[in-house]
Amino acid sequence: MEAIDPNIYRLAIFVLAIFVGYYVVWSVTPALHTPLMSVTNAISSVIIVGALLAAGAAAIGPDSRFAQGTGLLAVVLASINIFGGFLVTQRMLAMYKKKERPAAARKESGE
């Protein structure tokens, strides 16, 4: 009996993670998007640390090109997610700030 290639297990976990992530993100109410983005930013930072460790450990081994490439790809994608999350969060928080009224409107109201 042959053993199943471990890459098949990894691919199955990756595909399941895609489905779970898709349904979690699309089933969250809009009021919870900002906390969800904060959590995904934290997860992305863990992904960056793991990718850097994988790429660094792979640099020692003989077949390091693939691991370095996937580590670099993971760092780039996680960085896009982190910076995009910060930009979206900043934009959402700006929506809750009190807006300044123009000077003409203040004079008319007697302020």
Side-chain angles (χ1 to χ4, degrees):
M1 184 169 158
E2 290 185 33
I4 297 175
D5 188 11
N7 289 330
I8 299 296
Y9 288 118
R10 293 178 188 135
L11 181 64
I13 291 170
F14 181 70
V15 170
L16 287 174
I18 288 172
F19 280 112
V20 169
Y22 177 80
Y23 284 108
V24 165
V25 167
W26 287 110
S27 64
V28 170
T29 61
L32 295 177
H33 276 192
T34 301
L36 180 66
M37 280 191 279
S38 299
V39 172
T40 57
N41 282 346
I43 292 171
S44 293
S45 64
V46 172
I47 290 171
I48 284 180
V49 170
L52 289 174
L53 288 175
I60 299 170
D63 297 326
S64 62
R65 289 265 188 216
F66 179 71
Q68 286 178 339
T70 54
L72 177 67
L73 181 66
V75 168
V76 169
L77 292 176
S79 299
I80 290 171
N81 188 23
I82 288 173
F83 293 120
F86 278 122
L87 289 176
V88 170
T89 302
Q90 182 182 13
R91 189 172 175 189
M92 289 179 71
L93 291 176
M95 291 171 41
Y96 294 106
K97 285 185 179 176
K98 195 170 189 175
K99 294 182 180 172
E100 294 280 331
R101 291 176 37 186
R106 278 187 267 161
K107 285 182 181 177
E108 289 177 7
S109 65
E111 292 179 10

